[in-house]
């Protein structure tokens, strides 16, 4: 029998997953109470609602992050579910201290982000936009559009989870040499190196690392300086991993030939950002993982995760070490 005391509180508001749609997609749990704390509302103004929450969908906005203060207001919570691969919307360590599992949704947009990463690399290596503008202006010839073959390059992948491995498979098909930096050798046949060696040997550095205390700002001046002059850096992982000011300085000095960023330390990217207005930078609005297929995968994954817990089973993909 469904538990009538179950209360799902959602602080997530994208992909049409509002209360009505969640109820429609969870027909096996007709007594489930669902409450939304909307994107313009401060969760601290809804402590009474959180007090009865048993499952919480985490927000994406850093300003509405589930902090230790909010966790203390959730005495009955038995799962905080991130509706993403990342789980920046909750203090997962504080949740672990309180015995609350935090789960994510790995894999739903792996192909989408890997495709964007390789596409962004091709955009940097082969100046498509410049060539298009040249034809539009009525000019012709190869001047300014002479690029590089992917097969001639060494690509370093920092962070070798689902997405990093998917990027590597695509680069294998192009004939690139792939180096990997990751604490866990998930594909032992790959060549694993430390971060300094990765930078020193990589013509292209692509970042797919999680954001935590150890990785925050780890790709900065020192790492970029170690790279071959005229190299490229891409970030489709987490914004805070890459020192954006250091990227701008490396571009200005010619140390970097180009950069492609889907994620940023501050989002939306401020109008005053020196990354804007450059022909050597590709900017994307944190949408590398946004495809029709990823959208349907996300909805299916979150509903499956919720149904699992509401049916009395342990949650999947717990990221903070809390055993249930």
């Amino acid at each position: 029998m469904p538990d009538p005391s179950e209360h799902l509180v959602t602080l997530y508001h994208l992909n049409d997953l509002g209360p009505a749609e969640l109820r429609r997609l969870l027909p096996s749990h007709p007594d489930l109470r669902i409450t939304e704390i909307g994107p313009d509302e401060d969760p601290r103004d809804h402590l009474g609602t959180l007090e009865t929450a048993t499952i919480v969908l985490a927000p994406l906005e850093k300003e509405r992050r589930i902090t230790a203060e909010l966790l203390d207001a959730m005495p009955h919570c038995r799962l905080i579910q991130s509706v993403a691969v990342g789980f920046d919307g909750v203090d997962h360590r504080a949740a672990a201290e309180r015995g609350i599992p935090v789960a994510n949704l790995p894999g739903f947009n792996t192909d989408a982000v890997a495709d964007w990463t390789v596409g962004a690399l091709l955009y940097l290596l082969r100046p498509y936009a410049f060539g298009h503008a040249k034809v539009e202006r009525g000019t012709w010839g190869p001047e300014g559009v002479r690029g590089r073959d992917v097969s001639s390059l060494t690509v370093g992948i920092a962070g070798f989870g689902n997405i990093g491995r998917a990027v590597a498979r695509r680069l294998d098909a192009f004939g690139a040499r792939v180096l990997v930096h990751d604490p866990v050798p998930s594909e032992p046949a790959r060549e694993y190196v430390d971060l300094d060696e990765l930078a020193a040997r990589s013509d292209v550095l692509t970042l797919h690392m999680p954001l935590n205390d150890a990785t925050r700002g780890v790709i900065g001046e020192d790492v970029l300086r170690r790279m071959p002059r005229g190299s490229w850096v891409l970030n489709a992982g987490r914004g805070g991993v890459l020192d954006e000011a250091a990227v701008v300085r490396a571009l200005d000095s010619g140390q970097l030939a180009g950069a492609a960023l889907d994620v940023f330390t501050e989002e939306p990217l401020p109008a005053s950002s020196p990354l804007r207005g450059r022909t050597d930078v590709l900017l994307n609005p944190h949408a590398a993982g946004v495809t029709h297929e990823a959208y349907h995968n996300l909805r299916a994954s979150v509903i499956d995760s919720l149904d699992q817990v509401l049916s009395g089973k342990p949650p999947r993909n717990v990221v903070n070490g809390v055993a249930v």
Side-chain angles (χ1 to χ4, degrees):
M1 289 288 293
D3 186 346
S5 67
E6 292 284 11
H7 183 194
L8 170 62
V9 175
T10 175
L11 288 87
Y12 175 88
H13 66 281
L14 296 178
N15 294 299
D16 303 319
L17 284 173
E21 184 68 356
L22 287 166
R23 189 170 301 287
R24 185 184 74 80
L25 295 170
L26 291 164
S28 299
H29 309 281
D31 295 324
L32 174 65
R33 180 182 169 198
I34 303 176
T35 305
E36 180 177 43
I37 299 175
D40 298 324
E41 299 179 87
D42 188 334
R44 292 173 296 182
D45 296 334
H46 297 269
L47 299 184
T49 296
L50 294 171
E51 185 177 9
T52 59
T54 55
I55 300 175
V56 175
L57 295 187
L60 296 179
E61 305 90 348
K62 296 175 183 176
E63 298 78 12
R64 304 171 71 230
R65 188 170 187 255
I66 299 175
T67 61
E69 175 191 0
L70 292 178
L71 290 165
D72 286 337
M74 306 177 187
H76 305 291
C77 184
R78 55 196 185 90
L79 174 67
I80 298 176
Q81 176 68 58
S82 169
V83 192
V85 177
F87 39 94
D88 302 340
V90 56
D91 186 336
H92 62 282
R93 291 189 178 86
E97 291 169 359
R98 291 154 178 79
I100 302 174
V102 175
N104 72 339
L105 298 177
F108 77 90
N109 62 358
T110 293
D111 286 334
V113 178
D115 287 352
W116 183 88
T117 299
V118 175
L121 174 57
L122 292 172
Y123 178 96
L124 294 176
L125 297 180
R126 305 291 303 273
Y128 297 138
F130 183 82
H132 175 83
K134 197 169 188 179
V135 175
E136 290 282 9
R137 291 194 305 267
T139 56
W140 205 257
E143 294 79 11
V145 296
R146 198 181 305 279
R148 297 289 302 276
D149 293 342
V150 180
S151 61
S152 72
L153 303 176
T154 297
V155 180
I157 302 177
F160 208 58
N162 288 331
I163 293 171
R165 292 193 294 272
V167 170
R169 290 194 298 271
R170 286 157 173 76
L171 292 171
D172 289 341
F174 278 93
R177 180 174 186 181
V178 174
L179 301 177
V180 176
H181 171 70
D182 195 277
V184 180
S186 54
E187 290 187 6
R190 296 284 181 186
E191 185 175 1
Y192 284 76
V193 297
D194 64 29
L195 189 57
D196 286 346
E197 184 176 351
L198 188 80
R201 295 173 59 189
S202 296
D203 303 298
V204 178
L205 182 60
T206 180
L207 310 177
H208 305 282
M209 308 167 80
L211 180 62
N212 53 45
D213 291 341
T215 63
R216 191 178 304 276
V218 70
I219 309 299
E221 202 91 50
D222 290 344
V223 172
L224 297 177
R225 191 184 299 119
R226 291 177 185 274
M227 295 184 70
R229 187 167 179 81
S231 50
W232 297 267
V233 66
L234 300 89
N235 190 12
R238 290 289 174 265
V241 167
L242 180 64
D243 182 338
E244 293 160 16
V247 170
V248 171
R249 289 191 293 271
L251 289 165
D252 287 343
S253 71
Q255 173 63 14
L256 288 178
L261 291 81
D262 177 58
V263 291
F264 305 89
T265 301
E266 182 179 349
E267 296 181 357
L269 184 67
S272 60
S273 171
L275 290 166
R276 292 181 179 272
R278 305 186 65 112
T279 59
D280 52 2
V281 175
L282 173 64
L283 303 175
N284 203 50
H286 201 152
V290 178
T291 63
H292 291 289
E293 291 78 11
Y295 166 81
H296 291 295
N297 292 341
L298 175 91
R299 287 165 59 88
S301 294
V302 70
I303 294 303
D304 183 62
S305 180
L306 294 175
D307 182 64
Q308 169 95 357
V309 175
L310 290 168
S311 299
K313 301 172 184 175
R316 300 191 185 104
N317 302 310
V318 172
V319 297
N320 65 341
V322 176
V324 179

